[in-house]
Amino acid sequence: MPSSASLDVFYRYKIQNKLSDSETIREYFYTLDAKRNGYLENSEFRKFLTGLFSNKNKPYPLSNNEVEKIFNIFCEKKNQKLYLNDFNNLWLKFVIPTVRPRTALVIVDVQNDFIDGTMAISKCPSGQDGSEVIPCINELIRSVPFDAIVYTYDWHPEDHCSFIENVHKRKLAPNSPTRKNVQVNDIVIFENYPDIEQKLWPAHCIQGSYGSELHPDLILIDEKSDPFRRSVIKTYKGVKSDIDSYSAFFDNCKLNETNLNSDLKKLGINELYVCGLAGDVCVAATCNDALDLGYRVVFIEDGCRGIIVEDIERQKMKLSNRNSVIARSNQVSNMVTGRDRRPELAFITLNLKN
Ligand SMILES: [Zn+2]
């Protein structure tokens, strides 16, 4: 039986070659089938998973229950025997996304208004400085070979429903939580519009304004001259007057979808590294929608700043309960290159609940 160290060598070798070649899969299956009986039993399968989920040869712990669940998903005959056919299926659906994920860095709303403009995070209860995310994100852009870089923009028309300045332009619904003397940060429901609670903010990120531009210090890559040949995706959200959009995928009622999911799908991307502003609002909403859509999601905690400290912690806990990885930016490169392989992300692929 190969040790987990030799498994790691195998993966690295195969990454450079034909990882999805059926001969590769077959060869590996018979390496694992120590008893030579034509199927893998639970104990052989466990050793395989131990080698798969590791960080530079140090395995991540897996519970018996987790191993059993994965084993059962792929044992088509449900007889505790994993045959070559099953292993083929497992390899394509489970091993390849783990060993060689297709990744995008999603940079949420690193725009002037959130850093030193009308909605500067530094003026919010957390008092955090939004500009601090920039060196961290730039370092990721400079050094990590993602397959794509996504820049999202909060991008509102002047009459947007989230602006306190516009609150008098729409009638409040009888069930609106606030109806009189409405202030910034109050929550309202408008009449004749989607029946949803709307938090009110100062006017911000008005389409084409200086405040809506990405911060000038953020590196904006050019697809043509990028040394990693990464694709660039730009996504504009909150573009309709009567509905807000925290997530970069959908508006807050999921009535309209942005270009993001379809552009990522076209590039075959399955793993997102999400950072930006604000961690507890738009970054968290983007992560949650990405999980709903089946993406493997990594929240880069030092690449985010937020509005309310307790909310940031609450969102991180919620994401972690959904099998997102909460990572530091210096861990990202090893994850993107398949050296640090987290079991949680594979559980997302299989829709395994905690
Ligand atoms: Zn907004």
Side-chain angles (χ1 to χ4, degrees):
M1 171 59 53
S3 68
S4 51
S6 70
L7 284 170
D8 213 52
V9 171
F10 178 87
Y11 290 124
R12 238 176 286 146
Y13 168 73
K14 293 302 176 191
I15 288 166
Q16 293 154 10
N17 291 276
K18 291 178 178 170
L19 192 61
S20 53
D21 189 294
S22 60
E23 201 43 51
T24 303
I25 303 171
R26 191 187 167 81
E27 179 193 328
Y28 198 53
F29 177 79
Y30 287 110
T31 314
L32 293 166
D33 179 18
K35 290 190 183 163
R36 295 279 177 271
N37 47 16
Y39 59 84
L40 304 186
E41 48 195 60
N42 196 305
S43 60
E44 292 165 332
F45 187 68
R46 167 180 272 285
K47 285 192 180 162
F48 163 69
L49 286 188
T50 307
L52 182 62
F53 297 119
S54 59
N55 183 7
K56 292 183 235 151
N57 298 334
K58 192 168 174 283
Y60 286 107
L62 288 172
S63 71
N64 287 336
N65 189 27
E66 286 163 344
V67 176
E68 189 74 28
K69 274 188 186 167
I70 301 168
F71 190 65
N72 285 331
I73 288 173
F74 289 101
C75 282
E76 206 193 321
K77 292 190 175 156
K78 307 294 172 208
N79 57 357
Q80 297 291 305
K81 294 173 183 170
L82 193 111
Y83 296 98
L84 178 59
N85 248 357
D86 301 332
F87 193 70
N88 252 302
N89 189 23
L90 170 125
W91 191 275
L92 299 176
K93 284 192 186 149
F94 188 72
V95 177
I96 289 180
T98 299
V99 177
R100 195 169 56 188
R102 293 273 302 165
T103 61
L105 176 67
V106 181
I107 305 164
V108 177
D109 300 359
V110 180
Q111 292 163 279
N112 292 321
D113 267 344
F114 295 120
I115 293 174
D116 48 21
T118 57
M119 257 189 81
I121 291 204
S122 57
K123 290 189 240 159
C124 296
S126 74
Q128 295 184 344
D129 177 355
S131 73
E132 287 172 2
V133 302
I134 296 171
C136 166
I137 296 173
N138 281 347
E139 183 54 28
L140 290 168
I141 295 174
R142 273 192 217 103
S143 61
V144 181
F146 299 103
D147 296 292
I149 308 278
V150 179
Y151 298 92
T152 81
Y153 295 75
D154 209 26
W155 194 251
H156 299 313
E158 277 182 37
D159 62 347
H160 195 249
C161 62
S162 72
F163 299 168
I164 183 73
E165 293 84 347
N166 293 333
V167 73
H168 63 280
K169 294 181 183 165
R170 294 170 178 82
K171 219 174 161 190
L172 295 173
N175 61 338
S176 175
T178 319
R179 290 185 49 79
K180 284 192 181 125
N181 195 20
V182 184
Q183 309 284 325
V184 169
N185 294 331
D186 281 348
I187 290 169
V188 295
I189 296 175
F190 294 112
E191 205 168 83
N192 303 324
Y193 293 103
D195 187 14
I196 187 170
E197 293 191 341
Q198 174 66 55
K199 188 165 179 178
L200 295 167
W201 310 98
H204 62 277
C205 297
I206 295 174
Q207 296 169 3
S209 66
Y210 173 76
S212 71
E213 290 173 16
L214 296 181
H215 192 278
D217 294 342
L218 181 69
I219 296 174
L220 194 56
I221 67 160
D222 177 3
E223 277 186 0
K224 293 193 190 87
S225 57
D226 181 48
F228 293 115
R229 296 170 154 210
R230 293 167 295 196
S231 302
V232 173
I233 299 172
K234 290 186 180 179
T235 292
Y236 297 86
K237 62 194 192 56
V239 298
K240 297 207 170 184
S241 300
D242 297 322
I243 188 148
D244 209 357
S245 192
Y246 293 159
S247 153
F249 288 98
F250 301 100
D251 65 52
N252 291 356
C253 283
K254 291 202 172 175
L255 297 174
N256 306 284
E257 190 175 349
T258 66
N259 60 315
L260 186 53
N261 188 34
S262 66
D263 284 2
L264 292 169
K265 286 273 178 306
K266 274 182 221 150
L267 296 168
I269 284 166
N270 52 22
E271 190 163 293
L272 306 182
Y273 292 78
V274 192
C275 56
L277 306 171
D280 45 340
V281 184
C282 293
V283 177
T286 300
C287 289
N288 276 302
D289 279 351
L291 287 165
D292 290 344
L293 291 165
Y295 290 96
R296 301 150 58 95
V297 174
V298 178
F299 177 97
I300 307 171
E301 56 181 348
D302 52 332
C304 294
R305 292 294 183 276
I307 291 177
I308 298 170
V309 172
E310 294 75 19
D311 285 356
I312 304 168
E313 292 309 312
R314 201 171 13 249
Q315 290 293 349
K316 275 162 44 180
M317 184 73 79
K318 188 176 159 197
L319 289 170
S320 170
N321 287 337
R322 297 189 69 190
N323 287 323
S324 271
V325 169
I326 311 299
R328 306 287 302 171
S329 56
N330 60 9
Q331 299 173 308
V332 168
S333 182
N334 281 336
M335 294 174 76
V336 166
T337 51
R339 283 189 282 260
D340 179 359
R341 302 183 290 266
R342 306 290 182 113
E344 304 94 300
L345 297 179
F347 297 163
I348 296 173
T349 307
L350 297 182
N351 202 18
L352 277 189
K353 304 278 184 278
N354 272 350

